[in-house]
């Protein structure tokens, strides 16, 4: 149990366009979902925390108008990268927790975004 | 401010050997310390985790040693196998399911 999926697994988009990444908890209801960004050979950096039905909380330095997060249901969160630029090319990973008191995060397989 | 420091950055171990990765944290409010394994192009997967009220936890070939007074914890991989070659991340989180703070990662290579 506790499976998290992401779609798409990889995406290529042109500079200036927007791209949406979906994160789904397949067999549990996720009270909280997290979005991370990971550059090659680097660690995971938290971008934002989202709770169903409320606005996301963004990490310091992350532009909320550029990285739009919607947590519309207990099983789905989306990250939209608006007006993408080549420097946004990265590996985006989501995670989810089953309980607000549960420290364990279940990670998705990641989405590779390449902006040309 | 880097709150979780991980070392070494890379590690090469012979098959059958012991791999040891260390982490140190600063904030005593952390109460959950997981280790993740990540293969290239994949999301991280939880290996093993510990709470500060326990000094050691073992699951199969993986052991976490935790030193609360020193604010350090380490991962030991016994009988390391080539299939263990991956990047390992330690992390720490605040109480009540707070955000995870990751270490910098260790790239482990197990030579046959």
């Amino acid at each position: 149990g506790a499976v998290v999926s992401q779609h798409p697994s990889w995406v290529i988009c042109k500079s200036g366009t927007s791209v949406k990444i979906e994160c789904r908890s397949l067999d549990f209801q996720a009270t909280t979902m997290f979005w991370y960004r990971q550059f090659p050979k680097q660690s995971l950096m938290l971008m934002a925390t989202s709770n169903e039905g409320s606005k996301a909380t963004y990490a310091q330095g992350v532009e909320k108008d550029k990285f739009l997060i919607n947590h519309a249901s207990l099983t789905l969160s989306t990250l939209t990268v608006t007006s993408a630029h080549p420097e946004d090319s990265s590996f985006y990973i989501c995670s989810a927790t089953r309980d607000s008191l549960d420290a364990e995060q279940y990670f998705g397989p990641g989405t590779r975004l390449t902006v040309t | 401010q880097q709150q979780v420091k991980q070392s070494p950055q890379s590690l090469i171990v012979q098959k059958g050997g012991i791999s040891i990765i260390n982490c140190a944290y600063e904030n005593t409010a952390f109460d959950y310390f997981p280790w993740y394994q990540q293969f290239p192009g994949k999301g991280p997967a939880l290996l093993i985790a510990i709470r500060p009220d326990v000094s050691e936890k073992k699951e199969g070939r993986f052991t976490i040693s935790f030193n609360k007074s020193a604010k350090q914890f380490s991962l030991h991989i016994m009988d390391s196998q080539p299939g263990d070659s991956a990047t390992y991340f330690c992390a720490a989180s605040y109480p009540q399911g707070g955000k995870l703070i990751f270490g910098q990662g260790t790239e482990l290579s197990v030579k046959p």
Side-chain angles (χ1 to χ4, degrees), chain B residues 4-8 20-24 35 65 72-76 90 104 106:
Chain B
V4 180
K5 295 183 179 180
Q6 183 173 345
S7 63
I20 302 174
I21 305 171
N22 301 296
C23 281
W35 283 91
S65 296
Q72 294 175 347
F73 59 110
S74 59
L75 175 69
H76 294 231
C90 65
Q104 299 94 321
T106 297

Side-chain angles (χ1 to χ4, degrees), chain A residues 7-18:
Chain A
H7 178 80
S9 55
W10 59 271
V11 58
I12 301 173
C13 71
K14 291 187 182 296
S15 186
T17 62
S18 296

Side-chain angles (χ1 to χ4, degrees), chain B residues 34-106:
Chain B
W35 283 91
Y36 290 89
Q37 178 189 57
Q38 185 179 32
F39 293 103
K42 305 293 184 184
L46 178 67
L47 264 180
I48 187 171
I50 199 168
R51 298 274 185 183
D53 54 347
V54 176
S55 62
E56 185 174 282
K57 183 176 181 180
K58 183 176 181 179
E59 290 183 3
R61 296 186 294 112
F62 302 96
T63 300
I64 297 180
S65 296
F66 188 84
N67 187 328
K68 188 175 181 178
S69 61
K71 294 190 284 186
Q72 294 175 347
F73 59 110
S74 59
L75 175 69
H76 294 231
I77 305 174
M78 311 299 288
D79 187 28
S80 299
Q81 299 296 313
D84 297 330
S85 298
T87 300
Y88 292 80
F89 293 96
C90 65
S93 79
Y94 296 98
Q96 297 184 343
K99 63 180 182 178
L100 282 170
I101 310 297
F102 282 87
Q104 299 94 321
T106 297

